[in-house]
Amino acid sequence: MSRAPELQTIEGRIAEIRSRGVPPAFWAPLRHDPLLRVADKLIAPGARVLAWMSPPGKAAPGIARTTHLVLVDREVVAADADVVSFVFAHPRGAVLRPWRPGAHLDVVLPSGLLRQYSLCGDPDDPFHYRIAVRRIPDGDGSVELHDRLRIGDRVEIRGPRNAFPLTLTGPGDGRRLRFIAGGIGITPILGMLRAADRAGMDWSLVYTGRHRDSVPFLDELTRYGSRVRVRTDDVDGLPTGADLVPTLDPELAVYVCGPPALLDVVGARVIDAPGVELHLERFSPPPIQDGRPFSIQLGRGGPILDVPADRTALAVVAQARPSVSYSCRQGFCTTCKVRVLSGTVDHRDTVLNDAQRAQGDMLLCVSRAAPGQRLVLDLNSVTAQQDSPRGRWGLARPGERGTGRGVGGDAAAGRGRRTGPAWAIPHRRRPPGSE
């Protein structure tokens, strides 16, 4: 594939300025302008009033982020042949929307399935998007991509969005970056490695997998030499927290993407470490915290469904109404957004703004009812995708993952961020997640 001349990135600009001997104070993050803060305080209430005056059910106009791209290359990137990378470009060779490391795409497959995959190409390449997908035998999305998508085929792409962002302020900030990837979880990390390396940051990667043949992109990682350590369960055994994060100090920032067991080990390692930052992306929905049973009603006078403390509203509604639309199950893609006609919502997402919440919007996959409340849902909004010509935007089966909130199978990945000594995994930004 031909490429345009390389564009200078923010990280590249930082490195260039540093090489010229410019003091860090000149390129460190700037404080917020007090006048802009005042303007924000004045404008925000007016925006909320306008949102309240908008007709019910009408979405505010936004920037179109949907496009159709063509598949220009596909390549097997793991020795066991279960992981394939897919490279997309604009049909007319146009420049694509820029993206930052950690971003993902929503990919609408020819069957109508919606999957989210992390971008794992070069952020400086303005003409191509690359994702990678691990084939899951019973995974609808991964099987369709592996078996049916051929060079020249077109797919609908939405995004990029970023729910798992890499934060770089430059080499002068003194932080050490520790990247941890499990299997296909390497996909959002690849772009981060490029950015950190180009910016001259102090970074290292530990890359885990079941066996070496199952680990993708090994050849691509050889360029980084001793900064990268690959360990496999069949040779090295299951990793401990000390294996993954050998040293802890307040200048450490950890970025991890992989299966739940890997996240648990890393989380336990840094839980009591003051100042250590933890940024993560999940393969599966986060566990429900402080869940309490409640009930929901599908429309006024409609059936009443009980939601147990350990289940989500989405799971219960989907069981009763299989046509309900959903995708990420993490609280960032908004596919499962519904309108609440009555009842108080315990919002647990970080996507909806105050105006959207005030007008009754709710994400079924993470939010719940406030104590003692019953939620009455707008039946039309719940089944809005039932008659879609593409069919239901099905959810990936457990274990599937995409590259982008999915990383490399099909299910969307959850993102979390932790700073300070008290460890918790919020539902998002994070940043998925998702931008």
Side-chain angles (χ1 to χ4, degrees), residues 48 103 116 121 155-156 322 355 393 401:
R48 294 190 181 98
Q116 297 169 323
V155 296
E156 181 180 327
W393 289 354
R401 175 90 172 115

Side-chain angles (χ1 to χ4, degrees), residues 36-323:
L36 292 179
R37 292 190 177 188
V38 173
D40 179 67
K41 296 294 184 183
L42 295 175
I43 295 172
R48 294 190 181 98
V49 171
L50 291 176
W52 271 98
M53 296 173 63
S54 300
K58 295 294 183 76
I63 299 175
R65 298 179 66 89
T66 299
T67 187
H68 287 83
L69 302 182
V70 61
L71 181 67
V72 296
D73 188 31
R74 54 177 290 161
E75 178 185 3
V76 175
V77 291
D80 64 5
D82 282 345
V83 182
V84 173
S85 69
F86 300 87
V87 180
F88 300 96
H90 194 278
R92 296 188 299 275
V95 172
L96 303 178
R97 297 184 186 94
W99 61 280
R100 305 310 310 152
H104 67 277
L105 298 175
D106 294 339
V107 180
V108 182
L109 303 178
S111 66
L113 290 175
L114 175 67
R115 294 292 183 265
Q116 297 169 323
Y117 299 104
S118 296
L119 283 162
C120 60
D122 187 347
D124 291 348
D125 180 354
F127 299 101
H128 303 101
Y129 289 153
R130 184 178 71 165
I131 64 174
V133 182
R134 180 181 296 282
R135 181 187 177 93
I136 305 297
D138 61 348
D140 297 336
S142 63
V143 170
E144 181 173 350
L145 280 166
H146 276 242
D147 294 352
R148 294 180 53 188
L149 201 62
R150 295 291 178 262
I151 292 177
D153 290 347
R154 296 194 181 193
V155 296
E156 181 180 327
I157 299 293
R158 299 172 185 174
R161 299 184 295 169
N162 201 330
F164 185 41
L166 173 66
T167 57
L168 289 181
T169 58
D173 66 7
R175 289 185 309 158
R176 292 189 302 109
L177 302 179
R178 180 66 166 180
F179 299 106
I180 303 169
I184 196 64
I186 190 63
T187 50
I189 301 294
L190 285 176
M192 296 183 181
L193 302 183
R194 293 187 182 94
D197 197 58
R198 288 168 178 167
M201 299 290 290
D202 181 4
W203 67 269
S204 60
L205 164 71
V206 57
Y207 188 12
T208 68
R210 289 169 296 178
H211 49 83
R212 198 169 183 87
D213 287 349
S214 69
V215 178
F217 296 111
L218 286 179
D219 291 343
E220 196 165 308
L221 292 170
T222 57
R223 73 180 74 171
Y224 300 119
S226 61
R227 287 180 180 265
V228 175
R229 183 194 174 192
V230 178
R231 53 171 299 138
T232 57
D233 299 344
D234 61 338
V235 174
D236 304 296
L238 295 176
T240 65
D243 292 328
L244 300 174
V245 189
T247 59
L248 298 169
D249 63 70
E251 303 302 325
L252 180 65
V254 179
Y255 289 80
V256 55
C257 182
L262 181 69
L263 303 187
D264 291 343
V265 171
V266 175
R269 171 64 171 166
V270 304
I271 186 171
D272 295 320
V276 175
E277 295 182 13
L278 175 62
H279 308 256
L280 60 87
E281 181 172 66
R282 290 178 171 273
F283 277 13
S284 58
I288 297 173
Q289 298 182 0
D290 300 323
R292 299 178 181 176
F294 64 99
S295 63
I296 52 182
Q297 186 173 16
L298 301 184
R300 299 189 189 278
I304 297 174
L305 308 177
D306 293 324
V307 182
D310 59 349
R311 299 189 70 193
T312 65
L314 174 61
V316 173
V317 172
Q319 185 175 356
R321 299 290 177 111
S323 60

Side-chain angles (χ1 to χ4, degrees), residues 104-106 114-118 161 163 257-258 281-286 326-335 365 394-415 430 432-434:
H104 67 277
L105 298 175
D106 294 339
L114 175 67
R115 294 292 183 265
Q116 297 169 323
Y117 299 104
S118 296
R161 299 184 295 169
C257 182
E281 181 172 66
R282 290 178 171 273
F283 277 13
S284 58
Y326 55 93
S327 181
C328 76
R329 298 179 296 170
Q330 312 291 325
F332 63 84
C333 78
T334 72
T335 303
C365 63
L395 177 66
R397 295 190 173 113
E400 286 194 90
R401 175 90 172 115
T403 31
R405 281 73 235 332
V407 181
D410 287 321
R415 287 86 165 158
R430 260 168 127 217
S434 241

